[in-house]
Amino acid sequence: RRKEYRSSYYEMDEVTPETIDRHVAYAHQGGFRSIDLYYRAFAKSSGHFPWRPEYPNGMEDLKSVVAKISAAGILPGIHIHYDKADKDDLYVSPNPDSRLSLSHLFTLAAPLSANDTTLTVEENPRRCTLEEGRRILKIRSELIEFENYTTSSPYQFQGCKRGVLGSQTADYVTGEIFGQLNIDDWPLFVRFTQNTSIQQETAERLGKIYREAGFRWIYFDGAEDVPAPFWFTVSRAQWLVYRHC
């Protein structure tokens, strides 16, 4: 309902305190009324949002960038991923968080030693994706990348690489429950389980960045990157962020 909603925006994927003046000039030349600052310009990863080396003074540097946008009479916005974490974020590597989403669950049908490269399971893994970058299982604090699986008994994940993304290998007993990591279609990210506190934590972190830096609007990117039921989890994830901003 706000008139600003119809404004065009200039998006910045790479900007630093040293280059913001040039971007503001370009935005003026193009007649843009808003600027959309992609979070990856200042943060290494989504999830914990650690500062990039181009922002050595952290929040003070980001505040200076946003202040120059506002001083130019342009509305500053932030473009975020908020419902998932990068694979190299602390939520995933080297100790994967227990609140990361699992898309399919399995039960070990035989003991698994730290050196084994085949996992035998009770359930048929036929629904698991075989897409590159998404073939990762999470069992306790270990991440295991598999090459393929069988769809007839005995059901197995084969060609497994143990302890990927810096996680630690271990031994497991028959009956251990684990699952396939719910990795985004853009396989740089792992999705959050929405009925746990991990989304709240991330929302609080993003809200602090939003308020302290002086942003005025948000681009909620990746609204679809939540587990079902979508009618609830899509809007809930955004609401949790919005209420902290």
Side-chain angles (χ1 to χ4, degrees):
R1 296 188 183 121
R2 295 181 57 166
K3 68 181 188 305
E4 294 90 349
Y5 185 78
R6 300 189 179 191
S7 298
S8 57
Y9 63 83
Y10 175 98
E11 180 168 295
M12 301 183 299
D13 290 348
E14 297 181 8
V15 62
T16 67
E18 292 73 33
T19 63
I20 182 58
D21 291 329
R22 186 169 76 246
H23 284 287
V24 168
Y26 289 154
H28 270 309
Q29 290 171 19
F32 295 99
R33 299 177 183 177
S34 294
I35 280 182
D36 179 28
L37 197 161
Y38 190 33
Y39 75 95
R40 295 180 86 85
F42 63 84
K44 293 180 182 179
S45 64
S46 62
H48 284 80
F49 301 94
W51 297 103
R52 296 184 65 87
E54 293 86 352
Y55 285 71
N57 300 309
M59 179 54 70
E60 291 305 309
D61 283 340
L62 183 58
K63 286 168 66 175
S64 72
V65 167
V66 175
K68 287 189 175 182
I69 298 171
S70 296
I74 300 175
L75 202 64
I78 183 172
H79 182 149
I80 57 171
H81 290 133
Y82 56 97
D83 49 14
K84 55 191 178 182
D86 280 76
K87 285 181 178 177
D88 59 357
D89 188 76
L90 286 174
Y91 276 133
V92 182
S93 175
N95 299 305
D97 197 283
S98 61
R99 299 166 297 176
L100 297 175
S101 177
L102 302 177
S103 53
H104 305 288
L105 295 179
F106 299 95
T107 309
L108 274 182
L112 183 70
S113 73
N115 298 319
D116 287 338
T117 58
T118 298
L119 281 72
T120 304
V121 296
E122 296 284 355
E123 299 84 1
N124 191 333
R126 61 184 176 82
R127 295 178 60 199
C128 289
T129 180
L130 286 171
E131 292 180 17
E132 187 69 27
R134 302 179 70 196
R135 303 189 304 265
I136 296 180
L137 307 171
K138 178 183 177 296
I139 179 166
R140 293 195 211 167
S141 296
E142 182 182 354
L143 298 177
I144 302 171
E145 185 175 14
F146 62 91
E147 184 64 30
N148 211 331
Y149 52 71
T150 62
T151 55
S152 58
S153 185
Y155 302 121
Q156 295 179 330
F157 289 96
Q158 300 172 332
C160 296
K161 297 178 182 177
R162 305 291 301 275
V164 299
L165 298 180
S167 62
Q168 295 297 311
T169 61
D171 299 330
Y172 306 99
V173 298
T174 300
E176 189 88 37
I177 305 295
F178 66 99
Q180 183 173 27
L181 207 57
N182 193 349
I183 296 176
D184 191 65
D185 295 340
W186 184 14
L188 302 178
F189 306 96
V190 180
R191 297 166 178 166
F192 295 154
T193 300
Q194 286 296 318
N195 60 352
T196 68
S197 57
I198 192 169
Q199 184 62 72
Q200 173 73 16
E201 285 181 9
T202 305
E204 292 174 1
R205 201 172 287 122
L206 281 168
K208 188 173 186 292
I209 292 172
Y210 182 92
R211 295 190 310 273
E212 292 189 10
F215 288 108
R216 298 284 303 282
W217 60 277
I218 306 172
Y219 182 141
F220 286 102
D221 195 0
E224 72 281 7
D225 295 322
V226 291
F230 304 113
W231 66 268
F232 176 72
T233 53
V234 168
S235 55
R236 177 184 180 273
Q238 293 181 357
W239 174 75
L240 285 173
V241 176
Y242 182 81
R243 67 197 289 261
H244 288 287
C245 292

